[in-house]
Amino acid sequence: MPVYILAIESSCDDTSAAVFADTTMLSNIVANQQVHKDFGGVVPELASRAHQQNIIPVISKALDTAKIDKKMLQAVAFTRGPGLLGSLLVGTSFAKAFALGLNIPLIEINHLQAHVLAHFIQDKDEQRVVPQFPFLCLTVSGGHTQIVLVRDYFDMEIVGQTIDDAAGEAFDKSAKILGLPYPGGPYIDKNAKAGKPVFTFAKPLVPGLNYSFSGLKTSFLYFLRDQLKENQLFIEENMNDLCASMQKSIIDILMDKLLKAAKHYNIREIAIAGGVSANSGLREAILGLKESHHYNVYIPQFQYTTDNAAMIAVAGYVKYLQGNFAGQEMAPYSRGGI
Ligand code: KG4
Ligand code: ZN
């Protein structure tokens, strides 16, 4: 008999629930919150209210889609942090009550570890090749940019990270400057496909394996300010090329340090994770390492790049096998590492 686990993710603005049989995904339901669109960013108070409204329908749908009765569940896994505290409280409280009601174990999961462990998710009809330990994972999302040295499922070390903006923020802030909707990453990606990276912007000079993106954003802003003085329609007329140029700049910065890390640690297993790993240019660049460096590369399926409960479920399964359970006193945390 497989181990059936229900997982809940509510760390930011997506309410998600998944049902797994061991590492196999039976359902993965995500409710995006549209309420933030008008504000150009996530409004924490609105996010927790929307989670409260979404959580029961999302969990019901996850169980229905998986065709699993709640009595068949053997554990409930939930995102404990890091994230928005009010959002995390909704998922945490629900998970605790559900586990208590069913008298099954509770499993707490670190959101950033889960993004990395998304590579171990299996689909019903396709056996995927998973990374071998140790591997390097570039986790790039709206809140994080990290090069993670993954020695084992829960033995991870951040060997490089951003000292200011995250890569996703660099995408979203540039998109905002261009007048694109929030979150802008997917819009930049879409426009970039029809453009050419003809413009160049300042490259950060950060030592070691760390990243910086705030200078790039400023350079972009000043470049546009100067161009707009000459031609008020500069953005409209060059939208696709601007998106392609900004996307290439961000990817070049990401790839440069990732390659340095691979050489430094002599690791040939390379993975990417997090919302920005949905970016088509970044996926292409990572896939290119297969040819250019003969690395083994791992790219998550689209549905496991942005926030989702499937990654919480697969991480929960490993902890279930370890008997690593959480108590009812477990509280969420907003900040923290991997
Ligand atoms: O992992 P995620 O869903 O949430 C966080 O934990 O932050 O990542 C969201 C980020 C946003 O900044 C969004 O713009 C970015 O991922 N993103 C993309 C793409 N799809 C999502 N950035 C670039 N290209 C994309 N296709
Ligand atoms: Zn995330």
Side-chain angles (χ1 to χ4, degrees):
M1 266 281 280
V3 176
Y4 292 113
I5 292 181
L6 169 76
I8 299 165
E9 153 65 35
S10 72
S11 66
C12 191
D13 61 337
D14 295 309
T15 319
S16 181
V19 177
F20 267 51
D22 296 344
T23 55
T24 302
M25 192 273 280
L26 302 182
S27 65
N28 180 41
I29 309 297
V30 184
N32 306 116
Q33 301 180 357
Q34 298 305 317
V35 64
H36 309 287
K37 274 226 149 62
D38 295 342
F39 298 93
V42 177
V43 185
E45 176 66 21
L46 296 180
S48 28
R49 285 188 218 180
H51 282 304
Q52 196 73 46
Q53 284 167 344
N54 292 342
I55 195 148
I56 290 184
V58 165
I59 287 172
S60 300
K61 194 164 172 198
L63 288 166
D64 289 350
T65 308
K67 299 192 176 60
I68 294 291
D69 187 89
K70 60 179 185 294
K71 292 198 181 73
M72 292 164 74
L73 295 171
Q74 278 134 293
V76 181
F78 69 98
T79 307
R80 186 177 168 205
L84 300 171
L85 204 62
S87 293
L88 289 163
L89 273 167
V90 178
T92 305
S93 308
F94 192 96
K96 283 188 191 179
F98 211 64
L100 194 65
L102 293 168
N103 195 24
I104 55 176
L106 191 61
I107 300 170
E108 57 98 14
I109 298 295
N110 174 299
H111 180 85
L112 297 168
Q113 290 187 339
H115 268 302
V116 175
L117 297 176
H119 286 282
F120 294 91
I121 299 170
Q122 294 293 345
D123 285 330
K124 256 192 209 159
D125 31 52
E126 192 206 339
Q127 190 68 22
R128 284 177 73 83
V129 181
V130 300
Q132 300 293 304
F133 299 118
F135 65 92
L136 285 175
C137 184
L138 174 68
T139 305
V140 269
S141 72
H144 299 274
T145 299
Q146 315 177 321
I147 301 175
V148 186
L149 171 57
V150 189
R151 296 192 183 90
D152 205 341
Y153 292 109
F154 296 106
D155 182 2
M156 303 186 192
E157 185 189 342
I158 298 170
V159 296
Q161 61 188 319
T162 183
I163 57 168
D164 42 55
D165 289 351
E169 263 179 298
F171 271 106
D172 296 342
K173 286 180 178 172
S174 318
K176 194 171 180 180
I177 295 170
L178 294 174
L180 297 169
Y182 176 86
Y187 293 94
I188 295 219
D189 192 355
K190 186 164 168 270
N191 294 338
K193 284 180 187 148
K196 287 205 163 54
V198 292
F199 306 115
T200 48
F201 312 110
K203 287 251 154 67
L205 296 166
V206 189
L209 298 175
N210 283 339
Y211 288 111
S212 166
F213 288 101
S214 67
L216 176 67
K217 180 194 61 195
T218 312
S219 161
F220 188 56
L221 199 63
Y222 288 170
F223 168 79
L224 286 176
R225 193 190 55 188
D226 293 346
Q227 297 297 329
L228 287 168
K229 269 188 212 150
E230 309 280 319
N231 172 10
Q232 285 195 344
L233 296 175
F234 183 78
I235 292 182
E236 286 90 323
E237 288 172 3
N238 295 280
M239 180 60 96
N240 294 339
D241 288 347
L242 285 167
C243 288
S245 305
M246 183 41 100
Q247 178 165 302
K248 183 173 185 309
S249 300
I250 297 172
I251 294 170
D252 285 351
I253 295 169
L254 289 172
M255 294 302 289
D256 179 47
K257 294 294 172 85
L258 182 61
L259 276 172
K260 272 201 182 119
K263 289 199 179 110
H264 180 80
Y265 290 97
N266 193 22
I267 290 181
R268 311 184 67 80
E269 300 275 305
I270 308 287
I272 47 168
V276 180
S277 68
N279 183 268
S280 57
L282 180 60
R283 292 167 88 90
E284 226 170 80
I286 296 283
L287 283 172
L289 297 178
K290 242 199 289 194
E291 290 274 307
S292 62
H293 290 69
H294 303 289
Y295 289 165
N296 295 322
V297 297
Y298 303 89
I299 293 187
Q301 294 180 61
F302 275 108
Q303 60 167 329
Y304 307 134
T305 54
T306 47
D307 290 347
N308 65 87
M311 65 187 195
I312 307 301
V314 80
Y317 174 69
V318 181
K319 281 203 172 179
Y320 182 89
L321 294 183
Q322 296 172 341
N324 189 350
F325 302 132
Q328 283 285 328
E329 75 290 348
M330 196 58 77
Y333 53 86
S334 58
R335 296 184 157 270
I338 205 153

